[in-house]
Structures are given as C-alpha cells and as structure tokens.
Amino acid sequence: MRLKKANSLLITLILCVGAVVSFFPIYMAVINSFKTQGEMFASFTALPTKLHFENYSQAFHQTHLLNSALNSTIISFIGIGGIVICSALAGYKLSRTQGKLSSAIFFLFVASMLVPFHSIMIPLTRMAKDLSVQGSTYGLALIYIGLGVNMAIFLYHGFVKSIPRELEESAQMDGCNEFQTFFRIIFPLLLPITVTIAILDFLWIWNDFLLPLLMLTDVNHYTLILSTNMLFGEYNKEWSLILAALVLTSIPVILIYAFFQKFIMEGIAEGAVKG
Amino acid sequence: MPFKIYKKYVMLLAFTAPALIFYAIFLLIPTISGMYYSFTDWNGLNPNYSFIGLGNFVESLKEDPDFLNSLWFTLKYVFVMIVLQNVLALALAVLIESRTRTKGFFRTIFFMPNMISTIISAFMWTFVFSSVLPQIAEKTAIAFLGQSWLGDPKVSFFAIIIVSLWNGVGYMMIIYLAALQGVPQSLKEAAIIDGANAFQTLRSVTMPMITHAITICFFLTLNGAFKVYEVVYGLTGGGPGRSTQVITMNIYEEAFSNNFRYGYASAKSVILFAIVLIFTLIQLRVMKKREVEA
C-alpha cells in the first residue's frame, strides 16, 4: 500500500515537471511581452514590475491585426464550408454506390492523401497564377477546398456506413429526390463527423504558413500567421514587440480551444480511428 | 434496366462533381504536371523548355551535395521523431490515464502547445533558446543551458527536435489516450490478479490492445516529419550555412529563391514523394501484421 502511494506521488511529480516544461515558453512569452527591453535584459524570468501595454498596441498596429484576423477568418470559413459540402456529398454517394467507377474515384481521393504538399507546391503555384487566383484571399480559400476534400471524403465515407439505409428509402417513398434526401435527412445525421472535420480543418487552415506565403503577395491580404512572420523578419530581436505579436496571434486559437476543448479532443481521436 | 444503370452513374457524378473539380484543379493536375516538369529543364518562365529524361534525378542524387545533406538531415529527423514522439506521447498518455482526478487538467496542459501554429511556436522557442536560457545559464552557472542552441548544427538538431516534440506530442497523446480508454478494465485487473506488475500489464495486455493506435501514430509522425518545414524555418532558417536544411527547404529554395529551376526542383519533390510513399507502405505493411482484434 505504501509502495502504491509512493508510485502515485512519483507519477504526479513527473507530470508536474512535464507540465512546467510544456508551459514554460508560453509563460516566458507572456510575462516578457509586458516588459521593456531594458527590464528583459535585467531578468527574463522575473515578473514585470509594471504592465507595459505599449508593446501590444504597437504589435496590434504593425501586424494590421484586425485586417489579417479578418482575412484568416474569411479563408477558414469559406475553406471549411466548401470542404464540408463537397465532401459530404461525395463521401455519402461514394459510400452508397457499388461498382468500379465508384471504387476508382474513392481510391483516387484516398491515394492522394499521401502526396506531400511540398511535392505539388511548384505546379500549384503555377496553376494558381494561370487561373489568376494567386494573390486573392478567396482564391486561397478555393485551394484549401481542393487540398482538403480527400481526407474529409474519407471520413464521411466511413461514417455514412453507420447510417441505416431505411431512412433514405422512406424519404424517397415520401417523394424526396436524391438531393432533397441528402440535405434534409442525411446531412443533419452527419453532424458529429462534420464537427470533427470542421475542427481539424480549422486548425490546419488557420495555422498554415507555407501555402499563404506562396499565394499571397499583398500585405492587405495577409493572414494572421503571415503578418506575424513578416513582423518577426522586420523587427528581428526586438523581443518585447515580437512577443506581444506572438501572444496576440495565439489568443484566438487558445480561446477556441477553451470553448471547444471536448470536441477538439474527440475530433482528433475520431479522425485517427477513421483515418 | 439500362436506364437505371445510367441514372446511377449520373447521380454518382452529380454528387462527386463539386469535390472532383476542386480536387482535380488544385491537387490532381498539379501532382501529374509536377511529375511531368521533373523530366524537363523548365525554369518556370521561359515558354520553351526541353524534355531531358532522367537528367534532373541523376543530377540531384549524384551531383548535389546540398540536396543529399538535406535528405540525410531529414531522414535523421524522421527517425528520431518517430521514436521520441511516440515514446513520449504514449508515456504521457499512460501516466495521465492512471490519475483519474487530474486527468483533464494534464491533458489540457500537454495538448495546448499543439493549438499554437508551428511557426509561432518556433518563434517563441527562438526567444527561449537565444535569450532566456543563456541568461539563466549566466545567473545559475548551469553552463549546459548557455550553449549555442541555434548556432551549432549539432545542438540545433536537438533544438529542432525539442520544439517539434513540444508542438506535436499532444496530438499523439490524445490518440493514445483514446485508445487506452478502449482497453477493457477487466483485462488489466485479470493480469494484476495473475500477479503481473504494472510494467508487465502494460507490455503484455495494454500494448497489444492499442497496436491500432500505434500504427496510426507512427503513420502520422512519419508523414508529418518528412514534411517538416516551419520549425526549421523559424528556428534556424536552415543554417548556419545549410547545416540544418531539410528537404522541403531545399526544394523551396531551388524553385523560388535561388535559381528558379522549376524542373529540377520538381524532380526533387518527386523524390520526396517516392520516399514518403515507400516508407509509409513499408511501415503500414509491417505494423498491420502485428495488430490484434479486441
């Protein structure tokens, strides 16, 4: 019994040390973002004597924070909306249709999940230029739809199997056509997996760096991550300003995490099991 | 009857068309045209370019030490990440799972870094490595902390690993936690009654029951690690020199910032694709065999 208690204490201790290490960079970023450069050089680990919000107001303006946050929101919203609608339609029908054509299309989507983004970034940039979607917020959102449907179709395809066919059959007896059946009966039933997909895609699109870097040229169209990256390059080593920008950029995702924690955890577990 | 078959195909295409269109334009065609460019000497601008067969592949694998170094560096990174990320994630998951009352708290803490964008994480850690740790070393005389974390290639490899783990372990931990919750309590209890200690129970009961999760986490780590870019970009920018350059960075540089050799860079990306594909197929084949049904 005593051994068990010692063990349990040891586990708690290990977890606490891990938690401190895990939280350390965030803690450092937050406390130092309220200091002046001089205060920092005196001690990085000390708490700020006075909260300097100047760093925040400067970072807020330099990153055009509201504008880039709005761009990120538009891109995520259109991207996720497009992925969900296109993939739900395709995933549902591919799951319900037997035959070679159906299997071939499904295989095409699934196989492409192995293509690394870096293997297509060169021709993709080319394609975006040719279609004149390069440089536009909306164009970028469309690209996310193209890159995101394969995984979403895979998840929908698996989930549809758990929905009894009788529901569609009775809806069709009542006079619904296939699209009405889908939107009125099936799509609402897909909600759990839709939430999963929306969350995974939100984390991906909101936090993505390389694709916006390749596609966006005008500062006014920059996403939040891209604006922060630019600031880091310009004000290299002006840590008080940079740290404030890093904290500001991370606040939206941390808030979303706080609100949707349960769904995010379930979404990841669900995505992994189906994936 | 023929009409019914015809209708089936029309409906199939009508439902899949929206996804297929976006997918074809932004993923399928780029994949295929990238493969085509890899056999040419195209520079991305000139409308005239010629087909040079395997020339790009031969050059990149034989005469391009930078590419080979980045490939080697990436392979080392992938290997270390697969081992450390999974061991750490599984260890954390097992420890957290065993503490019923604090489970939620620790899960939240360890997962939080995953929410922060990779590039932002890299910037935060740059601050820690370049400023905070050297100052702590000075004040406490722990010389180890004061080393040149981002300036010495040997050390910056570990800096890159640390930040990658910090960012990625939480995700894998969630998957392992979900799998652990699926292991029937009765099996573990039976093992303990039979006299197994905690470690034996873990090895002989829990591990075989979560092989499915191990396969997935290995797959995700393998695929993610080959694509590493942001962490290295944010921490070292590939330097000093090109000592920490990863394969994706080498491709980016070749295509967009150095020489605009699109054809040549495309050949390198086809090589990356081939490597990821081969490693993934081997991994899935080896691990699928070990999975047991609950």
Side-chain angles (χ1 to χ4, degrees):
Chain A
M1 196 59 205
R2 182 175 290 171
L3 191 73
K4 212 172 170 198
K5 217 165 196 177
N7 260 341
S8 153
L9 206 68
L10 185 70
I11 291 175
T12 310
L13 193 72
I14 295 173
L15 286 175
C16 285
V17 170
V20 168
V21 172
S22 185
F23 203 64
F24 183 69
I26 300 175
Y27 174 72
M28 279 293 131
V30 172
I31 62 167
N32 284 296
S33 65
F34 289 108
K35 295 181 196 167
T36 60
Q37 294 279 1
E39 262 184 287
M40 265 191 222
F41 287 118
S43 172
F44 287 113
T45 46
L47 284 170
T49 47
K50 176 178 170 289
L51 295 182
H52 289 275
F53 281 100
E54 305 91 270
N55 297 328
Y56 279 91
S57 66
Q58 202 190 342
F60 187 86
H61 292 295
Q62 301 282 5
T63 50
H64 309 282
L65 188 104
L66 285 183
N67 187 39
S68 33
L70 184 67
N71 289 336
S72 289
T73 310
I74 293 173
I75 295 169
S76 306
F77 199 74
I78 299 177
I80 294 168
I83 291 172
V84 162
I85 291 171
C86 294
S87 313
L89 280 165
Y92 159 69
K93 204 65 189 169
L94 287 169
S95 186
R96 284 289 195 248
T97 313
Q98 307 294 316
K100 277 189 185 141
L101 181 66
S102 170
S103 323
I105 295 175
F106 183 60
F107 177 78
L108 199 63
F109 281 122
V110 174
S112 70
M113 280 159 65
L114 286 177
V115 179
F117 172 72
H118 301 83
S119 291
I120 61 155
M121 67 181 174
I122 298 161
L124 181 63
T125 319
R126 194 66 215 167
M127 181 66 110
K129 231 178 239 166
D130 290 344
L131 296 174
S132 351
V133 293
Q134 199 180 32
S136 131
T137 313
Y138 299 97
L140 181 56
L142 299 183
I143 299 178
Y144 279 117
I145 300 177
L147 300 184
V149 287
N150 49 11
M151 155 110 161
I153 286 176
F154 186 64
L155 292 174
Y156 277 123
H157 188 272
F159 191 85
V160 166
K161 288 178 193 153
S162 66
I163 295 174
R165 274 172 192 266
E166 286 76 15
L167 291 171
E168 296 146 70
E169 279 158 13
S170 63
Q172 281 173 346
M173 298 271 239
D174 292 343
C176 283
N177 69 30
E178 293 218 28
F179 285 99
Q180 284 169 329
T181 312
F182 175 80
F183 283 108
R184 292 193 187 159
I185 311 290
I186 304 297
F187 193 64
L189 292 172
L190 295 176
L191 187 67
I193 197 77
T194 300
V195 173
T196 294
I197 290 166
I199 284 169
L200 293 178
D201 286 339
F202 172 77
L203 292 180
W204 164 48
I205 297 175
W206 186 276
N207 284 334
D208 196 22
F209 169 65
L210 195 52
L211 185 60
L213 182 72
L214 289 168
M215 292 300 158
L216 301 176
T217 40
D218 182 354
V219 182
N220 290 319
H221 295 156
Y222 273 15
T223 60
L224 201 52
I225 299 294
L226 221 48
S227 301
T228 313
N229 171 58
M230 194 186 59
L231 195 68
F232 187 82
E234 259 174 63
Y235 296 86
N236 202 359
K237 304 294 174 219
E238 239 185 82
W239 281 116
S240 46
L241 173 62
I242 309 267
L243 290 175
L246 298 184
V247 173
L248 277 177
T249 309
S250 306
I251 287 174
V253 279
I254 299 285
L255 282 180
I256 289 201
Y257 180 48
F259 282 117
F260 297 105
Q261 211 195 108
K262 183 170 158 274
F263 294 105
I264 292 173
M265 305 280 185
E266 281 171 8
I268 289 169
E270 178 100 356
V273 172
K274 293 275 161 58
Chain B
M1 196 60 192
F3 175 72
K4 225 183 159 185
I5 293 171
Y6 172 73
K7 195 194 160 204
K8 184 177 123 180
Y9 285 126
V10 170
M11 273 302 158
L12 180 65
L13 288 177
F15 273 79
T16 47
L20 269 177
I21 290 168
F22 284 108
Y23 167 77
I25 296 175
F26 296 119
L27 187 53
L28 188 60
I29 296 174
T31 307
I32 295 167
S33 58
M35 287 180 184
Y36 172 72
Y37 293 147
S38 68
F39 295 106
T40 70
D41 62 0
W42 193 38
N43 67 3
L45 296 167
N46 196 332
N48 302 313
Y49 54 88
S50 43
F51 193 78
I52 55 165
L54 290 173
N56 289 326
F57 293 92
V58 174
E59 187 186 337
S60 57
L61 292 173
K62 275 195 160 162
E63 296 155 34
D64 194 337
D66 289 340
F67 177 68
L68 292 178
N69 285 339
S70 70
L71 180 61
W72 178 234
F73 189 85
T74 310
L75 285 173
K76 275 197 292 188
Y77 173 84
V78 170
F79 178 75
V80 175
M81 280 301 284
I82 288 181
V83 175
L84 290 185
Q85 179 145 290
N86 285 287
V87 168
L88 212 60
L90 184 57
L92 281 176
V94 169
L95 292 183
I96 290 175
E97 172 73 11
S98 71
R99 322 282 309 124
T100 352
R101 260 178 301 164
T102 48
K103 201 188 278 182
F105 171 75
F106 283 116
R107 198 175 54 172
T108 304
I109 290 285
F110 288 119
F111 181 70
M112 195 149 76
N114 192 271
M115 296 296 294
I116 298 173
S117 156
T118 324
I119 187 89
I120 303 294
S121 313
F123 291 155
M124 267 183 197
W125 276 94
T126 302
F127 171 65
V128 171
F129 284 134
S130 70
S131 304
V132 178
L133 292 185
Q135 199 189 57
I136 294 178
E138 217 172 280
K139 289 188 176 168
T140 58
I142 307 175
F144 162 76
L145 293 175
Q147 60 190 311
S148 167
W149 286 98
L150 304 175
D152 176 349
K154 280 199 198 100
V155 186
S156 40
F157 178 74
F158 289 102
I160 290 166
I161 295 284
I162 289 171
V163 182
S164 307
L165 289 175
W166 184 75
N167 211 236
V169 160
Y171 199 92
M172 305 300 154
M173 181 195 75
I174 298 296
I175 299 174
Y176 282 126
L177 268 172
L180 287 175
Q181 261 144 19
V183 178
Q185 200 60 40
S186 55
L187 277 182
K188 283 191 244 175
E189 278 160 15
I192 291 169
I193 289 171
D194 287 346
N197 63 32
F199 184 73
Q200 286 168 326
T201 314
L202 178 69
R203 207 192 58 187
S204 315
V205 178
T206 311
M207 291 285 277
M209 295 295 286
I210 60 163
T211 337
H212 181 56
I214 299 176
T215 307
I216 292 159
C217 289
F218 267 57
F219 171 83
L220 291 174
T221 314
L222 180 77
N223 265 268
F226 269 113
K227 295 179 215 168
V228 60
Y229 181 88
E230 278 93 337
V231 172
V232 185
Y233 171 94
L235 282 176
T236 65
R242 283 199 176 88
S243 55
T244 58
Q245 195 177 58
V246 282
I247 192 165
T248 52
M249 246 174 181
N250 186 277
I251 295 171
Y252 183 92
E253 195 179 80
E254 199 72 65
F256 300 110
S257 57
N258 257 8
N259 323 311
F260 298 99
R261 291 182 68 188
Y262 268 47
Y264 187 47
S266 297
K268 289 177 174 183
S269 32
V270 171
I271 293 174
L272 170 65
F273 182 22
I275 293 174
V276 175
L277 197 65
I278 292 167
F279 275 71
T280 306
L281 292 179
I282 293 174
Q283 185 247 325
L284 289 180
R285 174 156 293 205
V286 170
M287 299 198 74
K288 279 280 175 197
K289 276 192 200 150
R290 293 170 172 267
E291 281 180 22
V292 289
E293 290 295 322

